[in-house]
Amino acid sequence: MKRHLISAADLTRDDAVLILDTAEEMARVADRPIKKLPTLRGRTVCNLFFEDSTRTRISFEAAEKRLSADVINFAAKGSSVSKGESLKDTAQTLEAMGVDAVVIRHGASGAPYRLANSGWIDAPVINAGDGTHQHPTQALLDAFTMRRRLIGPDAGLGEDLSGRRITVVGDVLHSRVARSNVDLLHTLGAEVTLVAPPTLVPVGVETWPCEVSYDLDRVLPKTDAVMMLRVQRERMNAAFFPTEREYSRRYGLDGERMARMPEHAIVMHPGPMVRGMEITAEVADSDRCTVIEQVTNGVSVRMAVLYLLLGGNEPAVTHTRTEGN
Amino acid sequence: MSKILIRGAKVLGGEAQDVLIDGETIEAVGAGLSAEGADVIEAEGKILLPGLVDLHTHLREPGREDSETVLTGTRAAASGGYTAVFAMANTFPVADTAGVVEQVYRLGQEHGYCDVQPIGAVTVGLEGSKLAELGAMHESAAGVTVFSDDGKCVHDAVIMRRALEYVKAFGGVIAQHAQEPRLTEGAQMNEGIVSAELGLGGWPAVAEESIIARDVLLAEHVGSRVHICHLSTAGSVEIVRWAKSRGIDVTAEVTPHHLLLTDEMVRSYNPVYKVNPPLRTERDVMALREALADGTIDIVATDHAPHPHEDKDCEWAAAAMGMVGLETALSVVQQTMVETGLLTWEAVADRMSYAPARIGQAKGHGRPVSAGEPANLTLLDSAYRGEVDPAGFASRSRNTPYEGRELPGRVTHTFLRGRATVVDGKLA
Ligand SMILES: [Zn+2]
């Protein structure tokens, strides 16, 4: 594996499978009475959040604490693209403090890449979402969730997602989740179809390893997992689509549409869900919807990433074998 | 002033000749001229060109002297072989009055490295809504002939029409920065395959092309002259080619970096590549080279845009747009146009001296290398090969995309009206 995790495209098939397998081991820790491993004791991880995201920050923080790392939370709200406290200044401060890894969330695409490649800091950098670019741990937790649901936790070990058909629906243009998922799912052998109105499909998408469709109803019957993206209401003012009602008629997922999917197919959403426009309450509350599992799996996957990037050469959970002695 | 004999230089890349300078003027050009009473510069194998003229430079003074001043900018220009530069109006305060343009003009005269011809803003404060006092700037000591809101587009069609009409009274020209503002909201790089992958806001080619199309039609309608700044797309070339074939009075420029670099470089997220208009694709680069060769694009202009280190040593989104270019322009043109066989040195003299001087009406510049002409000259060692080292730049800023890249050619001497501003590659 590379030293940093900036993009889902940085991962080879074997890297990705290793992370998913390691995450399975981590998931077992969550089932124990004491959900903690000593793995990163004495190491310091900084969560550097230039953009608000309570969900992602808490998920990383939980992962770090379960690995016994010391955690610094640094919220640099509002200062991302202004003078004063720049990314560089902040990075150098963290370097001076001897931080062992940086988890960064930034509103600007490329900021984590720049942090990792500018010589401002030496520690491994984990991208927790940058602009409209990438969110690799989200893609990993999505893939983990798919593998568990479509193959099963133990049967899935060592497996990728070859031949699975995944549909990603909604605002692809502004979605780092869509970008990351296309990269990772392709690496894992899945066939991805993006479904969106043409205004929300990026120029240049023809070079991506996926299909593009404007017609959700034609794609759904051949789908193993459908991933609904969040559509921000302000997109309406920028004329990406005419009205909320028209969007939800053409691209929203309701019970009737869900019924056209194969029985085993699951519905995913990166959250937070806005019920109504992109997904109805009926779908969101159905047992085919994996939103809550995705949150749980996020912690296991992030534990795996932190463990592997911070020099995990031995199996992460060897001492489980001595458990009960 | 004493006499100088430049001995054995290939004038405009042609036959080796001697050029004798007496005072401010070229006294004679020919073989075997007498060196009596003259300082001799041995120039065997070197290329002698008319002093270069840049129609598009940002000198930043007044207001952003931390980036560049008239002094440092003209020293950079002289280092790059320029004897005249046109200074863009987007300073603080904006060069939209006679007072500001006269100040910039006078500073250029005082420092004496390069003639500075200020460009006046088209609209007050570059705001695009009210015409600046174009006539007053023209009548000032600076004698402004080129007007531009560069950095911003004159996007209101009525304002553009009025500006084009108004400057006819004194033979001025409007230089347009073609960028449709709505189509480029949030834009950070060329819209295409790379922007989609990098998640950076796309800057579609059509945002440039639609304004150029509109402006050449406006120029035709009112019978005026328009100059298009820094063309960057193959489509823009097509429109200018069509306009010229139709007899519309349009001229156009291309920057050295748009002749060499592509949006692939942005994959590094390194803000040295962040520029307006953005770096485009390989296909665009090839179309621009071809258009410069066939004369569809009239000139090379640097768009020299100095920024201090801290404005570039940051994340892409926060970084300023622009790159310095005066000191590397001739080298980039040598590599992309001469060494590829697209332009002769004679044609380079046209694209980088005669034509820009003609478009901007720079008196005494862009003249032939012949007896009786002002001695504005550039001597180039075209055989030189070396890596670009910004530490040696005369510009106050170092935001070059060429750091560590090997570029051919080095200006060894520059003469401004017979006085050497650069000697043996060093500022005099
Ligand atoms: Zn411009």
Side-chain angles (χ1 to χ4, degrees):
Chain A
M1 261 174 71
K2 292 193 178 177
R3 227 167 67 76
H4 308 284
L5 180 57
I6 305 301
S7 164
D10 295 343
L11 299 169
T12 64
R13 184 238 174 234
D14 289 350
D15 289 340
V17 170
L18 174 65
I19 293 171
L20 300 187
D21 289 353
T22 308
E24 283 293 354
E25 292 184 58
M26 297 298 180
R28 276 179 229 129
V29 175
D31 299 333
R32 298 190 202 169
I34 296 169
K35 302 176 181 18
K36 209 158 169 136
L37 293 173
T39 318
L40 297 184
R41 187 173 288 154
R43 317 289 290 276
T44 305
V45 180
C46 179
N47 300 318
L48 180 56
F49 275 56
F50 285 86
E51 186 184 71
D52 266 341
S53 174
T54 310
R55 296 164 59 98
T56 304
R57 187 184 49 75
I58 289 176
S59 178
F60 269 104
E61 197 172 336
E64 290 148 8
K65 287 183 169 163
R66 278 188 196 167
L67 293 171
S68 305
D70 295 323
V71 178
I72 301 173
N73 284 312
F74 188 109
K77 209 168 103 187
S79 69
S80 58
V81 185
S82 63
K83 292 282 171 57
E85 186 77 8
S86 70
L87 177 61
K88 183 186 176 186
D89 293 337
T90 309
Q92 289 179 335
T93 304
L94 297 178
E95 177 79 348
M97 288 179 187
V99 164
D100 296 296
V102 178
V103 173
I104 176 175
R105 169 75 155 231
H106 203 291
S109 300
Y113 182 95
R114 194 90 175 109
L115 182 65
N117 291 286
S118 301
W120 299 334
I121 193 167
D122 216 32
V125 173
I126 298 169
N127 184 0
D130 63 326
T132 52
H133 178 221
Q134 281 276 336
H135 194 356
T137 58
Q138 176 73 42
L140 285 161
L141 76 87
D142 290 337
F144 184 79
T145 305
M146 287 175 211
R147 197 175 77 167
R148 281 201 141 190
R149 276 287 197 125
L150 300 175
I151 310 177
D154 293 321
L157 284 178
E159 295 285 316
D160 58 21
L161 293 168
S162 290
R164 310 288 159 168
R165 285 176 297 201
I166 319 295
T167 304
V168 179
V169 186
D171 185 359
V172 175
L173 181 63
H174 301 96
S175 175
R176 53 193 169 213
V177 175
R179 273 172 183 72
S180 312
N181 267 293
V182 169
D183 287 336
L184 184 70
L185 292 171
H186 172 71
T187 300
L188 289 171
E191 291 164 27
V192 183
T193 304
L194 301 175
V195 180
T199 47
L200 291 173
V201 175
V203 166
V205 78
E206 61 276 9
T207 62
W208 295 13
C210 60
E211 299 289 314
V212 176
S213 169
Y214 307 135
D215 186 347
L216 184 56
D217 289 316
R218 284 183 48 189
V219 177
L220 283 180
K222 293 172 285 177
T223 282
D224 297 307
V226 57
M227 185 181 301
M228 305 303 293
L229 300 172
R230 198 150 79 82
V231 177
Q232 286 164 345
R233 290 208 155 87
E234 63 262 29
R235 303 290 179 222
M236 242 166 37
N237 304 329
F240 286 104
F241 49 87
T243 63
E244 208 170 303
R245 194 173 58 167
E246 176 160 326
Y247 180 88
S248 85
R249 272 193 196 154
R250 294 176 62 84
Y251 299 102
L253 192 61
D254 57 11
E256 199 188 317
R257 276 211 168 101
M258 189 168 64
R260 287 185 208 147
M261 295 163 52
E263 241 167 71
H264 68 273
I266 55 173
V267 176
M268 308 181 73
H269 195 294
M273 279 189 290
V274 182
R275 290 161 192 243
M277 183 156 77
E278 75 244 10
I279 196 163
T280 62
E282 183 189 358
V283 176
D285 296 333
S286 85
D287 58 5
R288 299 170 81 168
C289 181
T290 62
V291 169
I292 302 300
E293 283 163 66
Q294 286 172 267
V295 173
T296 308
N297 294 342
V299 177
S300 307
V301 161
R302 287 170 178 130
M303 286 171 78
V305 167
L306 283 159
Y307 168 73
L308 292 166
L309 282 185
L310 280 168
N313 291 323
E314 297 152 25
V317 211
T318 39
H319 53 278
T320 48
R321 295 194 188 123
T322 60
E323 224 174 32
N325 279 5
Chain B
M1 228 182 269
S2 60
K3 292 186 175 191
I4 300 167
L5 182 75
I6 303 170
R7 186 142 66 195
K10 294 190 266 185
V11 177
L12 271 57
E15 293 295 294
Q17 298 198 66
D18 300 341
V19 175
L20 184 65
I21 299 170
D22 185 5
E24 298 192 354
T25 313
I26 297 172
E27 189 174 271
V29 179
L33 297 183
S34 161
E36 205 185 308
D39 293 335
V40 177
I41 295 168
E42 296 295 350
E44 199 184 328
K46 291 183 186 168
I47 312 279
L48 188 70
L49 297 169
L52 306 183
V53 177
D54 189 14
L55 198 65
H56 192 149
T57 303
H58 296 272
L59 293 180
R60 305 294 187 214
E61 187 175 6
R64 283 307 301 269
E65 290 83 357
D66 57 328
S67 304
E68 194 81 284
T69 63
V70 174
L71 174 63
T72 59
T74 52
R75 284 165 66 95
S79 299
Y82 288 89
T83 53
V85 297
F86 285 74
M88 274 298 173
N90 61 338
T91 49
F92 304 94
V94 171
D96 58 3
T97 62
V100 179
V101 293
E102 281 184 355
Q103 180 197 357
V104 172
Y105 175 73
R106 209 185 53 245
L107 284 167
Q109 295 286 303
E110 278 170 15
H111 299 318
Y113 279 95
C114 191
D115 284 348
V116 175
Q117 191 55 57
I119 291 174
V122 178
T123 65
V124 175
L126 308 178
E127 281 169 4
S129 51
K130 191 173 177 301
L131 286 183
E133 289 189 348
L134 308 175
M137 287 189 274
H138 176 70
E139 283 159 22
S140 74
V144 176
T145 54
V146 181
F147 299 90
S148 181
D149 277 359
D150 182 61
K152 289 187 177 177
C153 178
V154 182
H155 59 89
D156 182 312
V158 171
I159 297 286
M160 188 60 185
R161 173 193 175 151
R162 300 284 183 247
L164 286 167
E165 284 177 316
Y166 193 81
V167 298
K168 285 204 293 184
F170 45 86
V173 64
I174 306 296
Q176 175 70 293
H177 171 119
Q179 179 188 353
E180 212 295 315
R182 283 280 279 158
L183 286 172
T184 52
E185 272 171 22
Q188 304 211 45
M189 68 171 296
N190 179 48
E191 180 179 280
I193 289 162
V194 182
S195 68
E197 256 175 61
L198 298 184
L200 291 173
W203 197 310
V206 69
E208 175 173 310
E209 293 154 2
S210 58
I211 292 289
I212 298 175
R214 181 200 75 177
D215 287 353
V216 294
L217 292 173
L218 280 175
E220 178 180 48
H221 183 66
V222 302
S224 191
R225 188 159 75 96
V226 66
H227 176 75
I228 311 296
C229 295
H230 41 54
L231 256 67
S232 70
T233 79
S236 297
V237 166
E238 284 308 307
I239 294 161
V240 171
R241 192 172 279 140
W242 171 83
K244 285 187 167 180
S245 74
R246 199 174 152 96
I248 297 171
D249 199 354
V250 56
T251 52
E253 69 189 35
V254 63
T255 72
H257 48 270
H258 287 110
L259 293 172
L260 179 60
L261 308 174
T262 68
D263 64 353
E264 288 292 327
M265 276 93 187
V266 181
R267 289 185 190 283
S268 66
Y269 283 110
N270 186 341
V272 291
Y273 299 112
K274 187 172 174 184
V275 66
N276 176 353
L279 301 175
R280 304 288 188 179
T281 65
E282 186 73 19
R283 181 177 152 265
D284 295 305
V285 167
M286 291 306 152
L288 293 166
R289 288 184 185 182
E290 207 175 288
L292 183 64
D294 72 20
T296 302
I297 295 176
D298 301 81
I299 64 169
V300 174
T302 66
D303 195 6
H304 177 78
H307 291 291
H309 184 64
E310 57 271 24
D311 288 7
K312 286 288 194 180
D313 191 27
C314 54
E315 58 275 28
W316 181 273
M321 286 184 288
M323 38 183 77
V324 292
L326 285 168
E327 291 168 85
T328 48
L330 191 52
S331 293
V332 175
V333 170
Q334 181 180 334
Q335 182 177 82
T336 58
M337 301 301 297
V338 180
E339 294 184 355
T340 52
L342 288 165
L343 283 188
T344 62
W345 285 111
E346 213 173 333
V348 170
D350 177 66
R351 308 299 193 272
M352 297 184 79
S353 180
Y354 303 156
R358 190 170 59 239
I359 294 166
Q361 302 169 54
K363 290 191 189 68
H365 292 276
R367 305 291 305 162
V369 182
S370 52
E373 295 289 349
N376 295 316
L377 297 166
T378 294
L379 194 58
L380 173 77
D381 176 5
S382 63
Y384 174 87
R385 292 286 183 284
E387 282 183 6
V388 175
D389 179 12
F393 280 2
S395 172
R396 179 160 285 178
S397 294
R398 305 272 185 271
N399 49 307
T400 175
Y402 308 120
E403 179 168 8
R405 185 188 271 259
E406 188 180 291
L407 288 179
R410 189 175 73 117
V411 171
T412 63
H413 293 75
T414 308
F415 298 92
L416 176 62
R417 282 183 290 278
R419 193 177 66 81
T421 53
V422 173
V423 176
D424 291 329
K426 294 191 180 64
L427 285 160

